[in-house]
Amino acid sequence: MVKQKWSLLSQNEKRLIIAGGVLVLVFATYFYVWKPYTLLIDNYTQRVSELRADITWLKKIKLQIKQLETQPKKSLAAQASGLSGRSLIDAIDKSIRTNQLADSLEVLKKSGDHQVFLAFKNTEFDNLILWLINISRQIEVQVVNADIEKTETGGLVYARLTLAGATQ
């Protein structure tokens, strides 16, 4: 049946059908094979770049943590004298201001015996973690509770922390 219809067509009509078929084949190959393949490659390339940036960041943080770990930890007597008569909340407040976290601090209040509640808004995660490591070494505080949420802006977080000081 197809052969009969094909034989009835003029030479120009046959050329037109062949050209249309070739054109459909080219477009189908482009839209269903080539374009999805290139989009996939672009996505993987972008993901690899993001992962490389993450690795660089992790290496930087690892180095900073190793540097902090090599610092000697104070003895309990030295920590007690490190507060030098100041309250835990005053020592934490001073440390926050020294480490440029004061701009993002929303709440700083006593929340119990030897405990302080802090809330940070839009603070840099890296700086917050490094500050926590530093302050735990300086005045022997421990994180009792931490609720950290990422924001829409990369690297910034909302953080609600409860810190407990050593009881003397």
Side-chain angles (χ1 to χ4, degrees):
M1 180 165 170
V2 174
K3 284 186 178 182
Q4 286 177 338
K5 287 190 178 186
W6 182 258
S7 63
L8 294 175
L9 295 175
S10 70
Q11 195 64 19
N12 286 340
E13 289 172 330
K14 289 178 183 178
R15 285 187 198 140
L16 186 61
I17 290 173
I18 291 172
V22 168
L23 196 58
V24 166
L25 182 64
V26 167
F27 279 113
T29 302
Y30 176 77
F31 285 109
Y32 293 108
V33 177
W34 183 257
K35 189 166 180 134
Y37 178 72
T38 57
L39 288 174
L40 188 65
I41 289 174
D42 291 344
N43 288 341
Y44 282 137
T45 303
Q46 181 181 356
R47 182 70 180 132
V48 166
S49 296
E50 291 169 357
L51 290 173
R52 283 188 178 146
D54 288 348
I55 289 170
T56 302
W57 174 81
L58 286 171
K59 285 179 180 178
K60 180 180 124 186
I61 294 300
K62 179 182 175 184
L63 180 64
Q64 290 174 343
I65 289 172
K66 280 188 178 187
Q67 288 172 348
L68 290 172
E69 287 175 345
T70 58
Q71 295 174 355
K73 195 169 184 180
K74 293 182 179 180
S75 68
L76 287 177
Q79 291 164 8
S81 65
L83 287 176
S84 59
R86 294 179 294 155
S87 69
L88 177 63
I89 196 165
D90 291 337
I92 290 173
D93 184 50
K94 181 179 179 190
S95 178
I96 288 170
R97 294 186 194 297
T98 303
N99 288 284
Q100 288 87 31
L101 292 170
D103 291 341
S104 60
L105 180 67
E106 287 191 319
V107 178
L108 173 63
K109 66 180 182 179
K110 189 172 180 176
S111 68
D113 288 341
H114 305 288
Q115 288 192 349
V116 175
F117 175 78
L118 303 101
F120 293 93
K121 182 177 184 181
N122 293 326
T123 191
E124 289 188 33
F125 179 77
D126 297 352
N127 292 345
L128 180 67
I129 297 302
L130 291 173
W131 172 76
L132 284 170
I133 293 169
N134 275 329
I135 198 166
S136 71
R137 294 189 170 278
Q138 292 170 353
I139 58 172
E140 177 102 1
V141 294
Q142 294 181 343
V143 178
V144 175
N145 188 21
D147 181 17
I148 300 174
E149 299 173 24
K150 67 180 182 177
T151 64
E152 292 180 13
T153 307
L156 299 181
V157 295
Y158 295 117
R160 287 164 296 288
L161 308 168
T162 303
L163 305 179
T167 57
Q168 283 112 13

